[in-house]
């Protein structure tokens, strides 16, 4: 089969297209999926550079979002059959989805919403699951609360939609080029990151009370700069590392901090599919590229400024 193979950790140039990669076969509890589309996430670039941190060693195939059609099922698979159109976020290992075929454990694979194309569906799983788990599972965002979201890109634009669907008031700090899209997705206020850190917008929206939840997808000292915007007993969630500096003032407000790594599950994907079906969640696809252009997609992700998701089509 055709696949993008990583021969050694390093730059995007370490990714190469091959036409003779052995086809995978499903084992017990697994399904074989014909990949119609996969998307590129920041974690892909991190695995490409230092995959040993993730338990991956070259030669390896990257790619952890999939939309496609079930082509084979292993023993003990009951809920999926050949011909099912499915989507999921794959486990991080050396047998990823930058390929024509992919094998995954059936318990994290779910039927794709009918209204989505494969290109749209591939843009959703990892980023939307991350946003849901950060805001709902970890922060416990509730109806009527206020959330400050740093970053309106791949994860951030889903976070805005999920927070809006949960009945929260949303302030998002992002790129000016994303302003219209993020407001359309349900943000109550948009802040250009080049001009402000969002504190003033939060305090204005809440009459000085502050944000109940802060979600950081950017990193650096973003959370520390957000401390003046916190309401008492606020919750802060980061998917990009620690708090990034002196966090002592947050404790004075009894704030709780949650560093988070996304966990994969079929139940998670069913909830995401439900939001899609009710019209509360949709992906923003920045560009669709052929599989052979995976290295270019990695370069664009690392350079920044991608407004939405990059999708690869085998």
């Amino acid at each position: 089969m055709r696949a993008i193979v990583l021969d050694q950790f390093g730059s995007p140039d370490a990714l190469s297209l091959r036409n003779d990669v052995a086809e995978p076969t499903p084992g017990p509890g697994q399904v074989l999926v014909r990949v119609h589309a996969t998307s590129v996430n920041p974690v892909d670039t991190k695995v490409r550079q230092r995959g040993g941190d993730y338990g991956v060693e070259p030669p390896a195939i990257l790619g952890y979002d999939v939309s496609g059609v079930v082509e084979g099922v292993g023993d003990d698979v009951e809920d999926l059959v050949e011909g099912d159109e499915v989507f999921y976020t794959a486990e991080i290992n050396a047998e990823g989805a930058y390929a024509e075929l992919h094998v995954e454990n059936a318990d994290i694979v779910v039927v794709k919403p009918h209204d989505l194309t494969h290109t749209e569906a591939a843009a959703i799983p990892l980023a939307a699951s991350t946003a849901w788990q950060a805001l709902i599972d970890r922060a416990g965002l509730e109806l009527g609360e206020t959330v400050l979201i740093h970053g309106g890109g791949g994860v951030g634009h889903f976070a805005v939609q999920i927070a809006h669907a949960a009945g929260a008031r949303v302030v998002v700090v992002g790129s000016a080029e994303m302003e219209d899209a993020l407001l359309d997705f349900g943000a109550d206020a948009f802040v250009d990151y080049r001009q402000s850190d969002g504190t003033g917008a939060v305090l204005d929206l809440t009459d000085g009370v502050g944000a109940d939840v802060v979600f950081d997808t950017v990193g650096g000292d973003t959370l520390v700069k957000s401390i003046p915007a916190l309401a008492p007993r606020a919750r802060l969630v980061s998917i990009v590392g620690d708090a990034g500096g002196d966090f002592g003032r947050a404790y004075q407000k009894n704030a709780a901090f949650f560093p988070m790594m996304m966990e994969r599950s079929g139940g998670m994907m069913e909830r995401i599919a439900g939001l899609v079906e009710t019209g509360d969640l949709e992906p923003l696809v920045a560009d669709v590229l052929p599989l052979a252009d995976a290295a270019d997609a990695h370069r664009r992700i690392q350079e920044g400024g991608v407004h939405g998701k990059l999708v690869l089509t085998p």
Side-chain angles (χ1 to χ4, degrees), residues 99-293:
E100 293 179 311
L101 294 166
H102 183 255
V103 163
E104 189 53 83
N105 296 325
D107 60 358
I108 64 173
V109 177
V110 302
V111 173
K112 175 182 72 67
H114 296 299
D115 290 341
L116 289 179
T117 66
H118 286 294
T119 297
E120 293 169 330
I124 292 176
L126 189 150
S129 295
T130 300
W132 177 290
Q133 290 178 23
L135 292 176
I136 307 302
D137 294 343
R138 299 296 286 170
L141 184 65
E142 296 181 353
L143 177 70
E145 290 193 316
T146 299
V147 57
L148 171 60
I149 298 169
H150 289 286
V155 173
H157 83 284
F158 288 122
V160 167
Q161 295 176 75
I162 290 168
H164 178 70
R169 294 182 296 181
V170 183
V171 177
V172 58
V173 181
S175 170
E177 294 83 356
M178 290 283 289
E179 179 175 2
D180 290 343
L182 294 170
L183 291 172
D184 287 344
F185 283 142
D188 295 276
F190 170 85
V191 178
D192 184 340
Y193 79 93
R194 301 177 184 91
Q195 299 179 3
S196 173
D197 59 12
T199 297
V202 167
L203 296 177
D204 287 344
L205 186 66
T206 62
D207 294 327
V209 174
D212 302 286
V213 173
V214 176
F215 179 32
D216 177 25
T217 74
V218 177
D221 59 357
T222 299
L223 286 181
V224 171
K225 289 182 176 179
S226 298
I227 291 174
L230 298 181
R233 295 174 298 280
R235 293 90 71 198
L236 304 97
V237 184
S238 174
I239 59 171
V240 285
D242 61 25
D246 181 6
F247 212 51
R249 290 176 298 154
Y251 293 114
Q252 296 172 13
K253 295 187 177 184
N254 284 312
F257 171 57
F258 302 100
M260 195 204 84
M261 178 71 73
M262 192 271 290
E263 299 175 353
R264 291 153 176 80
S265 76
M268 177 79 265
M269 288 306 304
E270 292 285 3
R271 292 193 286 272
I272 295 298
L275 285 179
V276 172
E277 290 166 349
T278 58
D280 291 309
L281 190 79
E282 62 179 288
L284 182 62
V285 176
D287 205 354
V288 181
L289 306 170
L291 184 65
D293 289 350

